[in-house]
Amino acid sequence: MSYKSGRHFLQIPGPTNVPGRILRAMDRPTMDHRGPAFAEMTKEVLSGLKGIFRTEQPVVIYPASGTGAWEAALVNALSPGDRVLMFETGQFATLWQRVAERLGFDAELVPGDWRSGVKPEEVEARLADDGGHAIKAVCAVHNETSTGVTSNIKAIRKAMDRAGGKTGHPALLMVDTISSLASIDYRHDDWGVDVTVAGSQKGLMLPPGLSFNAISEKALKAAETSGFRQSYWRWDDMLEANENGFFPYTPATNLLYGLKESLGMLNEEGLDNVFARHDRLAEATRLAVSAWGLEVLCRNPAEYSSSLTAVLMPDGLDADEFRKLVLERFDMSLGNGLGKIAGKVFRMRHRAASNELLMAGTLFCVEKVLSPFRANSAQVPGAGPFVSA
Ligand SMILES: *Cc1c(COP(=O)(O)O)cnc(C)c1O
């Protein structure tokens, strides 16, 4: 590949473009991870993370991708053979279910249409039918990155509480926030989530390589009687070492430098301002999609994601061919369709290190590459149906 002038536009949902401030923060010698300066940094980072998860309860950091943190949540708090209820909101929910199945869970994936979020009434009905409390956990993906649909976690919690009579159904609530943490409003404590799973390479603007579990009191209690044989993912070892600012094994030191910087940036802007920025850019994107005569994959406006938008390609146009043209012409990467919507959608990111001009550039580029496919390409953008390539 020949040299391309200027910056590559990384507009895939994640990993996101890493800001210069974070790159510079990581570009430092690796320090002694058993020394006092490291312990101080760990404590600062762990306390900062609690603010992002909006929790007073423990958060642990793994040197792993988000998939590792999925596994950690399941094997710490549950036992082999436990029934878990999952919801097919898209590719990531499907993959989480596969992890659970491989680990020996009785993991039911409630079918979905890949255009909607988890339905709280469905959660309530399933749990109300489970008088014997066989279901040990409800697992939901907060922001389904494959579809651009955000589920209402607060309503799911309420549905679980209603389903079990006076004391609520005792199942744990586990939520994947890998593409929503620090992107969309999320409240681990207020919403009564037991284990929140997150990762570094999306809203936190870091490279891939770190993932997180935020853990409720109830989940910690459940972990005491877990029947799983486990080692690397153990919460108890991690929490004991974290107490003094250390890890049970070598942590990803330089990524932690980056995390410290990221937390500083999010706090300087203010989380609520970050969310408002993403809401604004997402709204602008949907207006553009509608002006192009295209359809957003998410069906229900209340579930529109402010993290990313998935756009349905018109009949006869292949999304991957389109993305290839975008990359060749403008050096911009768009997200592809995953799983059963491969080739049918492309995805644009709004979150993380984004602003008006970045979004405007993204939308300009999509519009420009789409325009020759119009029946009447003289009219750009707008009237006239799309014609196949
Ligand atoms: C990116 C993503 C994952 C996968 O995380 P990895 O870091 O690739 O293991 C899981 N769930 C959601 C919602 C995601 O966006």
Side-chain angles (χ1 to χ4, degrees), residues 52-67:
I52 305 295
F53 284 87
R54 294 197 151 135
T55 183
E56 303 289 331
Q57 307 179 87
V59 178
V60 299
I61 308 173
Y62 295 108
S65 91
T67 303

Side-chain angles (χ1 to χ4, degrees), residues 14 64-68 70 92 95 141-146 176-180 199 201-202 208 210 351:
S65 91
T67 303
W70 271 346
F92 290 103
L95 291 177
V141 175
H142 182 213
N143 185 74
E144 179 52 78
T145 322
S146 59
D176 169 352
T177 65
I178 296 174
S179 72
S180 55
Q201 76 273 30
K202 309 239 166 110
L210 295 180
R351 93 173 102 71

Side-chain angles (χ1 to χ4, degrees), residues 101-302:
E101 210 160 50
R102 286 177 170 172
L103 289 168
F105 288 94
D106 173 7
E108 183 186 356
L109 189 66
V110 178
D113 66 358
W114 288 52
R115 299 191 71 172
S116 331
V118 179
K119 295 182 179 60
E121 57 284 7
E122 201 157 19
V123 176
E124 186 173 353
R126 292 286 178 144
L127 294 185
D129 273 352
D130 179 42
H133 298 165
I135 297 171
K136 300 301 180 198
V138 170
C139 301
V141 175
H142 182 213
N143 185 74
E144 179 52 78
T145 322
S146 59
T147 61
V149 176
T150 306
S151 288
N152 186 340
I153 301 301
K154 187 180 176 182
I156 293 171
R157 172 79 262 170
K158 287 194 172 148
M160 292 174 69
D161 292 344
R162 277 196 306 271
K166 266 203 180 64
T167 51
H169 190 288
L172 297 171
L173 174 57
M174 298 190 174
V175 181
D176 169 352
T177 65
I178 296 174
S179 72
S180 55
L181 189 80
S183 299
I184 302 171
D185 188 25
Y186 182 78
R187 296 160 189 274
H188 178 82
D189 285 2
D190 285 359
W191 296 350
V193 178
D194 292 297
V195 188
T196 298
V197 173
S200 57
Q201 76 273 30
K202 309 239 166 110
L204 291 173
M205 306 173 284
L206 296 169
L210 295 180
S211 56
F212 312 92
N213 278 174
I215 313 162
S216 76
E217 193 94 24
K218 186 172 159 189
L220 275 179
K221 190 92 194 126
E224 290 172 12
T225 55
S226 164
F228 269 103
R229 287 192 181 187
Q230 31 147 332
S231 171
Y232 188 77
W233 304 116
R234 288 189 79 96
W235 286 339
D236 54 0
D237 283 1
M238 184 66 95
L239 291 170
E240 193 185 321
N242 282 175
E243 195 66 36
N244 300 312
F246 300 114
F247 285 74
Y249 35 70
T250 312
T253 313
N254 290 53
L255 283 172
L256 295 174
Y257 297 157
L259 177 56
K260 182 176 160 192
E261 192 67 23
S262 154
L263 296 172
M265 290 164 72
L266 290 166
N267 286 329
E268 279 170 44
E269 186 175 355
L271 261 192
D272 291 332
N273 295 328
V274 171
F275 301 151
R277 169 165 56 80
H278 298 161
D279 290 344
R280 203 163 62 240
L281 299 178
E283 171 77 20
T285 301
R286 290 189 298 267
L287 286 172
V289 171
S290 132
W292 299 330
L294 296 184
E295 197 184 343
V296 165
L297 183 63
C298 177
R299 273 190 211 282
N300 174 4

Side-chain angles (χ1 to χ4, degrees), residues 1-12:
M1 276 266 257
S2 60
Y3 171 74
K4 290 224 165 77
S5 169
R7 228 173 235 210
H8 173 68
F9 255 56
L10 185 66
Q11 288 305 103
I12 61 173

